[in-house]
């Protein structure tokens, strides 16, 4: 009888051990991939490409294929008409990358407020005349993370400086 109990206990322990080892493993969702983007703007008559004083930051974000925000990044410096933006995404997934180049008066205050969650760029609360600090460039790129570790984009100008000239005759 005692031998039968030991055999039964050993069988139960072996069954528990076997069940615990045969659990289904969660598959890895994908491999992370880093793409380094060179962001630039087209040559213009405005001094924006000459010294980069008016456009000094590039804000960028990564959106999923269904247009939901995947991640946004801290703005990077825009110097001499170029910026380097590092984008991290999962391999073999489709994304849309959005880049916005504009003037920042400090690290957090941009000329045009950006609502990343709703993919909106707002209008400035109190814009100033005769300044190129309200130039705005943007670009989007659909991408599927695969083999390339580098990319580039030239942003389009959607808002330009408006000059107001007033004299006594006006």
């Amino acid at each position: 009888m005692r031998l039968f109990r030991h055999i039964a206990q050993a069988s139960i322990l072996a069954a528990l051990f076997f069940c615990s080892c045969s659990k289904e493993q969660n598959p890895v969702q994908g491999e992370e991939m880093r793409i380094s983007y060179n962001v630039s703007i087209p040559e213009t008559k405005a001094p924006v490409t000459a010294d980069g004083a008016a456009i000094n930051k590039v804000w960028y974000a990564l959106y999923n294929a269904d247009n939901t925000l995947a991640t946004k990044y801290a703005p990077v410096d825009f110097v001499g008409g170029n910026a380097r933006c590092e984008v991290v995404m999962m391999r073999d997934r489709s994304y849309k990358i959005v880049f916005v180049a504009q003037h920042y008066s400090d690290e957090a205050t941009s000329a045009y407020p950006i609502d990343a969650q709703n993919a909106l760029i707002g209008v400035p609360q109190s814009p100033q005349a005769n300044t190129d600090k309200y130039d705005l460039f943007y670009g989007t790129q659909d991408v599927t993370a695969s083999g390339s570790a580098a990319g580039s984009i030239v942003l389009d100008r959607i808002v330009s400086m408006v000059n107001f000239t007033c004299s006594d005759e006006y």
Side-chain angles (χ1 to χ4, degrees):
M1 185 74 161
R2 193 180 228 179
L3 180 63
F4 179 71
R5 248 189 305 186
H6 288 292
I7 292 173
Q9 287 175 345
S11 298
I12 292 172
L13 286 174
L16 288 174
F17 179 75
F18 176 74
C19 289
S20 67
C21 290
S22 64
K23 285 184 182 176
E24 188 174 313
Q25 298 294 322
N26 291 336
V28 176
Q29 293 298 321
E31 182 182 326
E32 218 174 62
M33 181 177 176
R34 181 175 303 271
I35 298 178
S36 180
Y37 271 89
N38 180 44
V39 179
S40 61
I41 59 175
E43 291 292 326
T44 64
K45 292 180 183 177
V48 71
T49 56
D51 60 9
I55 304 299
N56 59 0
K57 298 277 184 190
V58 174
W59 176 94
Y60 60 111
L62 186 66
Y63 289 86
N64 294 308
D66 64 357
N67 294 326
T68 58
L69 179 66
T71 187
K72 67 178 182 172
Y73 300 92
V76 297
D77 291 334
F78 187 77
V79 180
N82 287 296
R84 177 73 50 197
C85 299
E86 300 292 326
V87 180
V88 178
M89 59 188 79
M90 299 305 285
R91 189 176 296 278
D92 298 326
R93 288 192 56 196
S94 295
Y95 296 97
K96 178 175 280 196
I97 306 171
V98 177
F99 300 93
V100 178
Q102 62 176 317
H103 178 77
Y104 278 71
S105 55
D106 57 45
E107 291 297 317
T109 309
S110 59
Y112 295 88
I114 298 174
D115 178 0
Q117 194 66 37
N118 296 313
L120 297 172
I121 298 175
V123 176
Q125 293 294 328
S126 54
Q128 302 167 352
N130 302 330
T131 178
D132 56 354
K133 291 181 180 178
Y134 291 95
D135 286 351
L136 182 66
F137 293 82
Y138 89 103
T140 63
Q141 198 167 70
D142 293 324
V143 64
T144 299
S146 56
S148 178
S152 66
I153 186 168
V154 177
L155 305 182
D156 294 322
R157 184 181 223 159
I158 57 173
V159 177
S160 180
M161 175 176 67
V162 176
N163 291 317
F164 294 95
T165 306
C166 294
S167 65
D168 292 339
E169 293 86 41
Y170 295 145

